[in-house]
Amino acid sequence: MDCEFHENNMKSEELRKQLELPDSIELIERNEKKELNEYSAETLKLTDGTEIDSRSKKETQEQKEKAPFTYSKDYIKADGEYVPAQIKGVYTDAMEELAYRDIAEDLGRWEQQEKSYSCAVQVQKWIISEELGKTFSETELREIGLEKGLYRDSSGTYLEDVGKLAEMNGLNYEQHSNLKMDELIALKNTGANVIIGVDSHLLYRPYLDKEFKVNHAVELIGFDFSDEKNPMVIINNPGKSTGRGVAYPMEVFERAACKVDEQTGEKSVYFATAVYGRGDQK
Amino acid sequence: MTGKQMLRLGTDSAAVNACIPMCFEPIAPLISWSDGWLAEFWYYFADTHDKSIYSPQYYLAFDIPGGKPVKMERMEDNVCCLGSASELFENEYYNRQNLYLEKCAELMEKGVPSEEEILVLQELWINCLPEKFKKILNGKSSFPYHRSSETEKLVYQPKSMMEVLKLEMCKAIKNGDAHEIQRIQNEMTKLMK
């Protein structure tokens, strides 16, 4: 038994290293009895009348057994800000599925942005450092951006310049606009690193009756479709100290990332930049 | 043109993407009349963490209902933090803004406005501004803007046609060259297809 325990421990340590999981994220065997999920009972109401119940009201035992990750509680603060669920643990068996493994691998690279306007620089930093196998600091990339006219400390990045810092470091990028959600999912499934333009006001307060305007960059690291009726979009958000591996209900993500066509009511992701690794095909 | 469509000129158009850095938000446009309708947008930064706002840094004006950008200015020299603007994170602020935009659309439908009607619109616009902006407006009808003393230097060579068009767009707007603006918009649209 001791040998088996030791062997399992070694496997876990090896998997942790492979995934480069930060210490704050637990690696969990499915048969461990861990009650990590605490869900708020609050219902979030969006301006279009959509109501989003907390996961606790919707998640069945079967779904809990299929979930690839464990999440912290999502809730609404006293000042009205929506605090999303955050990945706290990764189930080892879920790592056999590439999409979930990719998410776990991307958790380690998150860092908070250093300047008010440097979100796009920080996100590109994660991608460049990972793809080149070399650690850049945000300061280094900001200085390159300053020199090349792609970033200013007083104003940040133009939307059309998102991806150019990556390009300067030998990576290909492609900008997309007005993507349907299934197109975004397909884009992510190509293995690309995807930067999304979001409205941070709506990300943090999706009930606001505000016109969508991109003002922040986040990285889309994947989707949790383990509960098909309640899909989650998982991002790394440089703008929050708790921005690592945060999971939003699809409706909330759409509110913050999509424009709505006035005529048809159709939603489309306003802006996405796909950055490809050197070995990736576009 | 509806109120929302007017607002979208300032949030989602080729000119905005070319001339305004992504982190900036527009105030509701000041709609005015001078041989035609004009929508003036001022852009500011709001820190969603401490809810502070900064004085406007960019200006973009469009003729309406055509939606052509006609003027662009930077106001970067005296940018300052104005303090907390928690109203930006509540629906009452957006409701006031939406009401004002509806009034604008109604008036535009009627045709040539009277001076009184324009003054009423101006009052409504001031009323829907964040409180901190009302204070720096200080009784005037628009935010002061002036050409930045810093000359924009081209420090890199554009690599793509879109980059070239973006730079040309900024120049054309500053010069108020309507034909050039239209040409560039057409080129940008072709490129994006």
Side-chain angles (χ1 to χ4, degrees), chain A residues 84 86 107 110-112 126 219 221 235-246:
Chain A
Q86 190 178 20
L107 292 172
W110 172 89
E111 276 183 55
Q112 191 170 9
W126 302 335
E219 187 192 6
I221 62 173
I235 64 171
N236 274 342
N237 179 3
K240 287 279 192 189
S241 59
T242 51
R244 187 200 308 277
V246 282

Side-chain angles (χ1 to χ4, degrees), chain A residues 55-70:
Chain A
R55 279 173 76 89
S56 65
K57 290 184 181 173
K58 299 176 290 189
E59 200 173 64
T60 64
Q61 186 59 35
E62 190 189 337
Q63 284 151 0
K64 280 182 188 163
E65 287 166 4
K66 282 164 56 182
F69 308 111
T70 59

Side-chain angles (χ1 to χ4, degrees), chain A residues 131-142:
Chain A
E131 294 293 345
L132 298 187
K134 177 181 156 187
T135 309
F136 282 89
S137 70
E138 188 191 287
T139 307
E140 277 178 279
L141 275 185
R142 273 191 278 115

